[in-house]
């Protein structure tokens, strides 16, 4: 019986499957980081522009805002009224709510 050289059984090897997978994961991570960094820089630019615009406008103080809100709402003309009852018979065993 002639026996030839022993061959390794064909199967997944690290160079065929593992190395491309790890390279894909590493490069994908770098690419995703660049995308996120780009979005953050755009958001930062928009925020700084918005902050510059709000600094230019004069903002009212807390006391001025309170006076404005008190002018809009009249709390002394409030009238307490009873809520209407639901139609139908009332349960005689009902306990009042606390």
């Amino acid at each position: 019986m002639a026996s030839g050289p022993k061959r390794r059984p064909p199967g997944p090897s690290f160079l065929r499957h593992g190395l491309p997978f790890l390279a894909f994961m590493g490069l994908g991570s770098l690419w995703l980081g660049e995308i996120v960094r780009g979005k953050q820089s755009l958001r930062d630019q928009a925020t700084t522009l918005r902050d510059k615009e709000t600094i230019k406008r004069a903002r009212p103080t807390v006391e001025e805002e309170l006076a404005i809100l008190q002018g809009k709402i009249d709390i002394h003309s409030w009238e307490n009224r009873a809520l209407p009852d639901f139609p139908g018979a009332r349960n005689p065993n009902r306990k009042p709510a606390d």
Side-chain angles (χ1 to χ4, degrees):
M1 214 176 192
S3 128
K6 292 189 175 185
R7 293 181 52 198
R8 241 172 83 194
S13 66
F14 178 74
L15 291 177
R16 280 184 55 184
H17 299 286
L19 190 61
F21 176 74
L22 291 177
F24 178 75
M25 294 299 288
L27 293 174
S29 166
L30 293 174
W31 178 70
L32 187 60
E34 287 296 319
I35 289 176
V36 170
R37 190 175 306 124
K39 284 185 177 183
Q40 288 287 11
S41 67
L42 289 176
R43 187 178 299 141
D44 291 343
Q45 288 174 0
T47 303
T48 54
L49 288 175
R50 189 173 51 236
D51 289 344
K52 288 179 183 177
E53 290 174 1
T54 56
I55 289 172
K56 291 178 185 175
R57 291 184 290 170
R59 298 193 71 204
T61 62
V62 175
E63 291 82 13
E64 292 171 347
E65 287 184 14
L66 178 63
I68 292 169
L69 288 175
Q70 284 178 342
K72 289 181 180 178
I73 300 171
D74 185 19
I75 61 171
H76 299 294
S77 66
W78 185 261
E79 178 185 345
N80 286 330
R81 289 184 281 171
L83 294 174
D85 247 350
F86 289 111
R90 190 174 264 212
N91 184 1
N93 299 327
R94 179 180 159 267
K95 295 180 182 177
D98 290 351

